[in-house]
Amino acid sequence: MSIPEVGLSCSSPASSGSDRRSIPVLGMGTGVLPFTPDQRAKMKLAILQAIELGYRHFDTATLYLSEEALGEAVAEALQAGLISSRAELFITSKLWCSDAHHDLVLPAIRQSLRNLKLDYLDLYLIHWPISLKPGRCHFPLKSDDILPLDLRSVWEAMEECQRLGLTKSIGVSNFTRKKIVELLDIARIPPVVNQVELNPVWQQNKLREFCEQKGIHVTAYSPLGGQSLSLGRNLVLESQVLKDIAEAKGKTVAQVSLRWLYEQGVSMVVKTLNEERIEENTKIFDWELSDEDRHKISQMPQYKRVSVRSLLSAEESSKRLDLPSIDDMDED
């Protein structure tokens, strides 16, 4: 099965049309937190199953601790002939906040490449528009460790990663319109991707429109909603609107959500280690939603799940904290 791809803007002033990159619209996320040792084998097996099913887009990050499992799966896939070369894959990793300092960016991407046993990434993202005090990669965050991001110096180092060939493209994650404007004002190489929380209950219409105007592709994480820690529920999978559409189409709620995202022109990374669901998620390309379906989804109440505060421990998130301006999230 072939998963469609969408083109990314040329990411360097010196790029020619032939340098245009494309990203598979359906990818596999590997952000299982906490990532325990027994999950490593499960993760590797799930990635191999995904490659067999036609997945070519894999998303990891320093924070996830899944880079080594992904690297092992890629090596085994090559050895088994599931893919003929590493170039068939689109692999994204992310700079964690404790490394979001000018002098730590290059060491961080090189460590990611060592973990993955790869020569280059296809895409390297700033994970959040904040910094943490330099040190170990820990989660949940401690509020005392959060620092403003020196965007100019960090982005200069990100650009150097691309110039050195350590990554084909660079981008950002969890950036608002305001932060993107700030970045575009100083960037020599503009970001090609903004990866954000995006699904039918957090549609990000204004942010998506803005990114399209700026030539920045949007990738959705939490495309199936994820568990809201504050509500203890998954508002996507529990949506009666989506359940009704799914029943009428003979599809699952997850497939309806992913199909809606596909029709919005974004790519998505879906996190599951379940073989049946890995395959189920691919079956969204040979049917479409009706205009009535799309209208009903457009009217769904909106709820944002992920913020800087949500990255803190329960004890710290209950405090009255003056968090960085990233919590001024784009509202639709």
Side-chain angles (χ1 to χ4, degrees):
M1 181 210 64
S2 178
I3 292 174
E5 300 187 357
V6 61
L8 298 178
S9 298
C10 296
S11 53
S12 169
S15 295
S16 66
S18 62
D19 293 323
R20 185 179 179 85
R21 300 280 294 162
S22 59
I23 184 171
V25 298
L26 176 64
M28 181 176 177
T30 64
V32 180
L33 295 173
F35 190 74
T36 58
D38 67 314
Q39 286 175 320
R40 180 167 170 166
K42 294 178 183 177
M43 177 69 71
K44 185 171 72 171
L45 179 60
I47 293 167
L48 285 167
Q49 292 167 341
I51 291 174
E52 285 191 89
L53 288 167
Y55 283 75
R56 295 296 181 263
H57 175 188
F58 294 91
D59 180 271
T60 184
T62 298
L63 177 67
Y64 303 159
L65 304 178
S66 58
E67 290 174 330
E68 291 184 349
L70 175 54
E72 290 168 6
V74 171
E76 289 191 23
L78 284 165
Q79 188 174 22
L82 299 178
I83 51 175
S84 59
S85 76
R86 179 267 180 266
E88 292 183 28
L89 301 179
F90 189 103
I91 295 179
T92 300
S93 194
K94 308 181 193 76
L95 176 78
W96 184 236
C97 307
S98 54
D99 290 321
H101 304 272
H102 181 270
D103 293 341
L104 298 181
V105 175
L106 279 170
I109 191 173
R110 287 181 169 131
Q111 183 60 54
S112 288
L113 291 172
R114 283 193 293 271
N115 293 341
L116 289 157
K117 296 181 174 62
L118 297 177
D119 296 327
Y120 68 92
L121 297 172
D122 294 278
L123 180 63
Y124 196 46
L125 306 177
I126 297 177
H127 206 151
W128 281 87
I130 59 173
S131 290
L132 295 174
K133 292 176 183 176
R136 68 183 183 90
C137 178
H138 59 78
F139 188 85
L141 306 188
K142 297 179 179 178
S143 57
D144 289 345
D145 289 341
I146 298 177
L147 303 170
L149 176 68
D150 183 353
L151 187 55
R152 180 184 295 273
S153 69
V154 171
W155 191 252
E156 285 175 353
M158 294 287 288
E159 292 175 334
E160 185 66 9
C161 291
Q162 181 169 320
R163 279 192 288 267
L164 291 173
L166 302 175
T167 182
K168 298 288 186 181
S169 299
I170 51 178
V172 295
S173 182
N174 298 299
F175 269 50
T176 61
R177 288 171 288 172
K178 181 178 178 181
K179 295 302 290 187
I180 292 172
V181 168
E182 182 184 339
L183 175 55
L184 292 176
D185 282 345
I186 56 143
R188 294 184 178 182
I189 301 176
V192 299
V193 165
N194 186 17
Q195 186 182 121
V196 295
E197 179 186 4
L198 177 59
N199 54 59
V201 302
W202 190 246
Q203 298 181 13
Q204 303 256 47
N205 293 321
K206 291 181 179 178
L207 177 63
R208 288 193 285 120
E209 182 181 359
F210 174 82
C211 287
E212 184 176 4
Q213 291 171 353
K214 301 300 182 180
I216 300 171
H217 175 73
V218 172
T219 295
Y221 72 75
S222 295
L224 303 181
Q227 188 81 358
S228 169
L229 296 178
S230 59
L231 297 178
R233 301 168 51 198
N234 184 312
L235 297 180
V236 171
L237 297 184
E238 296 179 25
S239 164
Q240 192 59 51
V241 170
L242 299 180
K243 286 179 180 179
D244 290 343
I245 295 172
E247 184 177 0
K249 296 287 185 187
K251 303 295 179 182
T252 67
V253 170
Q255 287 172 325
V256 170
S257 182
L258 298 182
R259 177 69 202 190
W260 176 82
L261 283 163
Y262 175 56
E263 293 185 7
Q264 304 310 302
V266 305
S267 58
M268 65 204 87
V269 290
V270 194
K271 178 179 62 182
T272 180
L273 301 183
N274 181 284
E275 183 177 6
E276 290 182 1
R277 287 195 287 272
I278 291 171
E279 183 173 9
E280 175 189 297
N281 292 340
T282 67
K283 297 179 179 179
I284 62 170
F285 301 115
D286 59 353
W287 56 279
E288 62 182 31
L289 298 169
S290 68
D291 289 341
E292 183 181 1
D293 296 334
R294 297 183 194 103
H295 177 72
K296 288 178 179 177
I297 293 173
S298 74
Q299 300 303 303
M300 289 175 63
Q302 298 294 286
Y303 177 82
K304 177 163 184 59
R305 185 177 65 91
V306 182
S307 68
V308 172
R309 189 173 294 275
S310 72
L311 305 180
L312 301 171
S313 67
E315 179 183 355
E316 293 224 17
S317 65
S318 65
K319 299 176 183 176
R320 294 178 63 88
L321 300 170
D322 183 21
L323 294 174
S325 60
I326 178 57
D327 264 357
D328 263 341
M329 301 308 296
D330 284 309
E331 298 288 348
D332 287 329

